[in-house]
Amino acid sequence: MQIATWNVNSIRTRLDQVKDWLLAHPQVELLAVQETKVTDADFPTQPLQALGYHVYSWGQKSYNGVAFISKRELTAVKRGFTSILPCPPHWDEQKRVIAGFLDDILIVNLYCPNGSAIGSDKYTYKLQWFQVLREYLQELQKEQERIILCGDFNVALTDLDIHDPTGRESKIMASDAERSVLQSILDLGFVDILRQFHPEPGQYTWWDYRSGAFRRNWGWRIDYHFVSLPLVPRVQDVWIDPAPRRLPQPSDHTPVILCC
DNA sequence: ATGGCAGCTGGAAGCTGA
């Protein structure tokens, strides 16, 4: 089965593209979307149900928001950190986390903070948010060993994941502190699985809207599937589909698909 | 160094994203 992740940058603006992509990829059992930018009440659930999908959303007005679009019902869907982890409730004011079971696999769909600029309050929030995520995952690991993390992590793990890493230390998404905290997530026992299949450069999932970045292939890889160690042998392939990024009025991200 | 592009809100221009 295929499990995909895609930061759609507004589900309402991108609804037709999402529907077309799902129809063109019937093998995709579950699509995890991020940056839906809409409350659950206003999520376009009905048009997706009409295509035969189940929808599980966790959103807010204007910003953030995550959702699962699934061919089959998910079980034990949990929204936010506090559904799992006893942490201060303000960590769930921004809707960035939803998790649920597909068969015996726990899928965790994440929209990690951007960070704005190094040294900013948002950057501090980003680093702290990853620490909370780490505690949340440790809590999940007490009950479950088959876990797939997917989504927009807003961090490029290595220089291979950036078209031009020059000066990356002074920019968000590739600073040492961001890489370090994301590596600490992987060190819990997860594998950046795309690299098992594509160790070569040029594997990008996001291109800036500005400066003709996509045309010039000035990309970054910031969207991932992180697979827990016991699941690694079950993964058959992982790849990036650049096609939606070529469409008129695209998201600035493009889907990543895992087949297991 | 800065802006560039896009979406959302509210009904203009500012915030946020990455």
Side-chain angles (χ1 to χ4, degrees), chain A residues 4-141:
Chain A
T5 182
W6 186 8
N7 178 324
V8 294
N9 187 16
S10 172
I11 187 65
R12 288 179 292 183
T13 297
R14 227 64 64 194
L15 180 60
D16 285 345
Q17 291 185 19
V18 170
K19 286 164 59 182
D20 289 347
W21 191 81
L22 288 169
L23 288 168
H25 297 81
Q27 317 91 318
V28 171
E29 286 269 338
L30 183 151
L31 172 62
V33 292
Q34 303 88 34
E35 260 199 292
T36 54
K37 295 186 171 179
V38 67
T39 60
D40 298 337
D42 289 334
F43 195 98
T45 301
Q46 199 283 328
L48 293 162
Q49 286 177 336
L51 293 184
Y53 291 87
H54 301 270
V55 173
Y56 307 86
S57 68
W58 176 233
Q60 66 186 84
K61 193 173 170 181
S62 305
Y63 303 115
N64 311 312
V66 287
F68 288 122
I69 303 168
S70 176
K71 287 211 166 185
R72 286 183 285 144
E73 275 192 72
L74 305 182
T75 56
V77 174
K78 301 266 203 269
R79 292 163 169 87
F81 285 134
T82 56
S83 62
I84 301 290
L85 181 72
C87 68
H90 72 81
W91 285 109
D92 276 341
E93 287 172 6
Q94 300 183 16
K95 310 307 186 204
R96 299 179 176 278
V97 183
I98 189 169
F101 280 88
L102 183 60
D103 298 329
D104 62 337
I105 301 175
L106 178 59
I107 315 286
V108 183
N109 176 10
L110 300 168
Y111 175 52
C112 306
N114 164 300
S116 186
I118 291 188
S120 67
D121 289 347
K122 290 191 175 73
Y123 183 75
T124 303
Y125 179 87
K126 180 178 190 174
L127 297 177
Q128 291 176 341
W129 186 92
F130 273 108
Q131 295 291 355
V132 176
L133 174 64
R134 188 170 183 278
E135 295 172 22
Y136 165 88
L137 295 174
Q138 285 180 304
E139 202 65 33
L140 292 180
Q141 286 178 316

Side-chain angles (χ1 to χ4, degrees), chain A residues 105-108 110 133-142 144-150 153 157 181-194 196 224-232 258:
Chain A
I105 301 175
L106 178 59
I107 315 286
V108 183
L110 300 168
L133 174 64
R134 188 170 183 278
E135 295 172 22
Y136 165 88
L137 295 174
Q138 285 180 304
E139 202 65 33
L140 292 180
Q141 286 178 316
K142 292 179 182 173
Q144 175 56 239
E145 63 175 13
R146 293 172 299 278
I147 303 175
I148 296 177
L149 315 180
C150 66
F153 288 76
L157 266 174
V181 75
L182 185 54
Q183 186 60 50
S184 79
I185 301 292
L186 287 165
D187 290 345
L188 293 175
F190 295 94
V191 173
D192 172 16
I193 196 70
L194 180 124
Q196 306 284 304
Y224 303 92
H225 293 85
F226 295 152
V227 173
S228 67
L229 292 168
L231 274 181
V232 169
L258 173 148

Side-chain angles (χ1 to χ4, degrees), chain A residues 237-248:
Chain A
D237 201 1
V238 186
W239 66 95
I240 296 164
D241 177 11
R245 189 62 179 81
R246 297 192 191 101
L247 296 171

